[in-house]
Amino acid sequence: MLKTIREAAGLLTGPKRRRFQAQVTTDYLDGSARQAERVFGWGREAVQLGLHELRTGITCCDRFTDRGRHATEEDRPQLAHDIRDLVEPHTQGDPTSPAPFAFTRITAKAVRQALITRKGYREEDLPSQRTLSAILNRLGYRLRHVQKTRPLKKIKQTDAIFANVDAAHERAAAAEDTLRISIDTKAKVHVGDFSRDGEARGAEAVEALDHDMTPVATMIPFGILEVLSGVLTILFGISRLTSDFVVDCLELWWQQRRQDLPGVKRLMIDLDNGPETSSRRTQFIKRMVEFADKFGLEIELVYYPPYHSKYNPIERCWGILEQHWNGTLLGNVETVLGWARTMTWKGQSPAVHLVAGEYERGKRVAPEEMEQYEARLQRSETLPKWSVIITPQEVLAG
């Protein structure tokens, strides 16, 4: 019986246990807390409290938070205030005094030193560096990743731009002489034995350099996706991303593909309004007008709205390419080209070319010359920046 009562009490906690112990003590031990301690091994103070609760009907609340050691900043609020004063630049008492962490990282070691030099603490009066690190965490100054500012999700014309994109795609799908393509560049590829955070099967792990300091070369991938057929062409530049590079890639692609597409008289190009391909970039517009004249093609530039480049179909191809080669070492230019040729998009491997020309940044067309190119453009009345049609010279002459 004694064992059963002890086990039953052990299953209860807090006020319920005290009430059970008090009731057993009252029924079997004449209400003696001393006897309950001797017979059942219960704490006398707890039994006395339970008896008091049983008599009065008032349940006492336990204060678990008062048990054990308190956090240092609770026992020493001035220390917490001084830490905040050091870490938060806007709380400096003297605005002319430079912030202690203007040019150094906020670490527990640095905060400890600043407390000594700036706040007058003695070495022996401060907690250890490890404890200070925990205090900083509890005060909210945790290690955090640097985050990019969230971009504006929509501009005023976003919905209208998407409506224009959808209408243009419907026109392209209904016209047999129109080829819809999607173009864009991928992030630059640093060539060298660098880790790309990928995985590859093998008896041993692939070993990369421990520092990505000096690449052998920097390559610029430019993609052209024929949206309906899924035919993909990737061209790699080794110079700079410029408007001339973009149009040279388009010319090289069309020279390779025109024989297979004899019925195409019109190109509809999905693209982002990036700096090199903006409809306000004079060098890009000049080169696109010349491209239209050279091949006798009508060209429609269909731009996606800002911050929505993920809807451009070519963007999906870049994800596949990155997955394809991120477990290997892209140690030289030939390796980059070889891996690009072995990826597949919709069951097809892309055509891959190297564009070896040198490109100069900052080229602009003079306003007087630009007038003749601007006259060749048919801009949308409501979305002049986002919808542009270029008619070739031979069609105008005819």
Side-chain angles (χ1 to χ4, degrees):
M1 176 179 168
L2 294 178
K3 180 180 178 182
T4 302
I5 292 176
R6 288 195 192 99
E7 290 180 352
L11 296 175
L12 303 173
T13 58
K16 292 182 179 179
R17 175 185 289 184
R18 293 197 300 269
R19 183 177 182 84
F20 175 79
Q21 292 172 339
Q23 192 64 57
V24 170
T25 302
T26 300
D27 293 344
Y28 299 103
L29 300 174
D30 297 327
S32 173
R34 185 183 297 274
Q35 289 295 323
E37 182 180 38
R38 184 180 63 80
V39 174
F40 297 108
W42 295 337
R44 190 189 309 176
E45 293 80 5
V47 175
Q48 289 174 340
L49 178 59
L51 290 169
H52 175 73
E53 291 175 332
L54 188 62
R55 287 194 302 269
T56 62
I58 300 173
T59 301
C60 299
C61 296
D62 295 313
R63 299 180 64 184
F64 295 108
T65 56
D66 286 347
R67 299 179 183 178
R69 297 179 59 186
H70 296 170
T72 304
E73 62 271 23
E74 294 180 12
D75 290 337
R76 302 175 63 182
Q78 184 60 42
L79 176 63
H81 176 272
D82 290 338
I83 292 175
R84 287 193 177 95
D85 192 50
L86 290 169
V87 174
E88 295 283 354
H90 62 268
T91 63
Q92 293 291 326
D94 181 6
T96 63
S97 176
F101 305 108
F103 303 105
T104 58
R105 296 183 62 189
I106 300 173
T107 63
K109 181 179 179 180
V111 170
R112 199 171 193 275
Q113 186 60 39
L115 286 169
I116 295 172
T117 58
R118 293 202 171 222
K119 297 297 183 181
Y121 285 83
R122 296 182 303 173
E123 182 83 22
E124 57 271 21
D125 293 336
L126 291 174
S128 67
Q129 183 175 316
R130 183 173 181 178
T131 301
L132 268 177
S133 179
I135 293 173
L136 287 168
N137 288 341
R138 290 195 292 267
L139 293 178
Y141 306 113
R142 297 179 178 275
L143 293 173
R144 304 180 190 276
H145 291 288
V146 176
Q147 296 182 348
K148 293 183 178 180
T149 303
R150 290 186 177 182
L152 179 68
K153 293 302 181 182
K154 293 180 69 174
I155 63 173
K156 185 177 180 180
Q157 304 101 320
T158 293
D159 293 337
I161 295 170
F162 268 123
N164 175 72
V165 170
D166 293 339
H169 291 171
E170 290 180 6
R171 292 195 304 271
E176 295 182 358
D177 65 344
T178 300
L179 174 66
R180 178 187 164 201
I181 64 174
S182 170
I183 68 172
D184 196 16
T185 55
K186 184 185 181 297
K188 294 179 180 179
V189 178
H190 295 296
V191 180
D193 292 339
F194 308 137
S195 170
R196 305 186 65 83
D197 296 327
E199 296 179 346
R201 293 189 184 275
E204 297 180 357
V206 176
E207 294 187 358
L209 296 177
D210 61 345
H211 289 81
D212 300 354
M213 299 297 292
T214 308
V216 176
T218 299
M219 303 182 70
I220 304 166
F222 178 78
I224 304 173
L225 175 65
E226 299 170 33
V227 178
L228 295 183
S229 65
V231 174
L232 175 63
T233 302
I234 303 177
L235 305 102
F236 288 88
I238 55 175
S239 177
R240 300 176 180 85
L241 174 57
T242 67
S243 299
D244 289 322
F245 168 70
V246 169
V247 181
D248 282 353
C249 288
L250 283 169
E251 289 190 0
L252 178 59
W253 160 78
W254 184 243
Q255 288 169 350
Q256 297 288 328
R257 292 289 295 154
R258 61 190 302 190
Q259 293 182 350
D260 297 328
L261 302 165
V264 172
K265 304 299 181 185
R266 191 171 187 275
L267 289 181
M268 176 174 290
I269 305 178
D270 290 343
L271 70 170
D272 304 327
N273 204 0
E276 292 79 22
T277 57
S278 168
S279 69
R280 299 301 187 187
R281 172 73 75 171
T282 58
Q283 184 65 15
F284 177 67
I285 292 299
K286 173 188 175 181
R287 289 296 311 275
M288 289 303 296
V289 170
E290 293 172 347
F291 174 68
D293 290 345
K294 181 177 180 178
F295 297 105
L297 292 169
E298 182 176 278
I299 297 173
E300 182 173 3
L301 303 177
V302 181
Y303 290 93
Y304 283 90
Y307 318 114
H308 294 79
S309 60
K310 65 181 180 180
Y311 293 99
N312 196 356
I314 187 65
E315 292 288 346
R316 301 161 199 165
C317 302
W318 297 138
I320 299 298
L321 176 59
E322 192 62 38
Q323 290 178 7
H324 177 64
W325 70 17
N326 69 358
T328 189
L329 301 181
L330 304 179
N332 53 59
V333 171
E334 291 72 23
T335 301
V336 174
L337 300 177
W339 275 90
R341 291 189 180 103
T342 56
M343 74 164 281
T344 57
W345 173 257
K346 293 189 176 181
Q348 307 174 75
S349 295
V352 177
H353 304 281
L354 180 66
V355 180
E358 289 290 329
Y359 293 94
E360 177 185 350
R361 287 198 183 100
K363 293 177 68 174
R364 293 178 174 83
V365 181
E368 299 79 12
E369 182 184 358
M370 191 60 201
E371 289 180 2
Q372 62 176 319
Y373 295 112
E374 190 66 32
R376 300 280 304 280
L377 309 181
Q378 178 184 338
R379 293 184 181 271
S380 166
E381 293 183 2
T382 56
L383 299 168
K385 185 179 178 180
W386 311 98
S387 180
V388 179
I389 297 176
I390 305 172
T391 305
Q393 189 68 47
E394 65 180 36
V395 173
L396 293 173

